[in-house]
Amino acid sequence: MALAMDRAALQAFLTAEFPQVADMFRVEEVDDSLLRVRLIVGEEHLRPGGTVSGPTMFSLADVGVYLAILARIGPKALAVTTNCSIDFMRKPAAGVDLLCDTVLLKLGRVLAVGDCRIYSEGDDRPVARASLTYSIPPER
């Protein structure tokens, strides 16, 4: 399936529709099989002990799947998460950004399922893995 939105269009959409969080995320790459998004880790993402919090990693996975869907169907701001399962596997490295690689496993008319792997930059061992299902709004 051809891309409906490229990296620049996805980043612009994020900035326009979600200005409150857009500066935390940067779309690194997108093609027909993978979307990579970066979480620019700041002090607000840390929990005691200096590691990135679980809710922050959930946000990264959620944004990753959302953008992977939009890359294929175009700008549909009302697509919403209907399910998420996340496994936290190891502590993220302190002081480095997180990268989320997202693959869409299914893209249907009304549901999409994505799989994410989250990594600390510079380390190829995942810190978390997530599976998310999204509901896609019907065409009118």
Side-chain angles (χ1 to χ4, degrees):
M1 173 182 233
L3 291 179
M5 297 176 78
D6 64 11
R7 187 193 63 72
L10 290 167
Q11 194 69 54
F13 177 85
L14 200 56
T15 300
E17 297 297 327
F18 300 97
Q20 65 275 31
V21 297
D23 60 345
M24 292 187 331
F25 301 102
R26 187 170 67 223
V27 180
E28 297 282 305
E29 65 181 82
V30 61
D31 62 30
D32 59 350
S33 63
L34 177 88
L35 179 127
R36 175 173 285 169
V37 63
R38 172 184 299 269
L39 171 72
I40 301 164
V41 174
E43 194 71 28
E44 68 274 18
H45 304 118
L46 304 181
R47 61 180 298 279
T51 189
V52 176
S53 71
T56 298
M57 287 188 275
F58 167 80
S59 296
L60 177 57
D62 198 35
V63 167
V65 173
Y66 182 66
L67 292 175
I69 294 167
L70 297 186
R72 284 150 186 88
I73 68 171
K76 305 222 188 279
L78 297 180
V80 295
T81 310
T82 60
N83 190 53
C84 177
S85 173
I86 189 165
D87 298 306
F88 301 103
M89 297 183 283
R90 62 185 45 84
K91 183 177 171 179
V96 300
D97 290 349
L98 294 181
L99 300 170
C100 178
D101 288 347
T102 300
V103 174
L104 289 182
L105 303 176
K106 174 191 167 136
L107 180 58
R109 269 186 316 101
V110 294
L111 288 178
V113 178
D115 188 60
C116 301
R117 300 283 190 282
I118 299 175
Y119 303 88
S120 292
E121 186 174 31
D123 190 342
D124 62 355
R125 299 171 303 156
V127 298
R129 185 209 63 81
S131 176
L132 290 92
T133 303
Y134 260 77
S135 175
I136 301 169
E139 292 290 328
R140 295 194 187 251

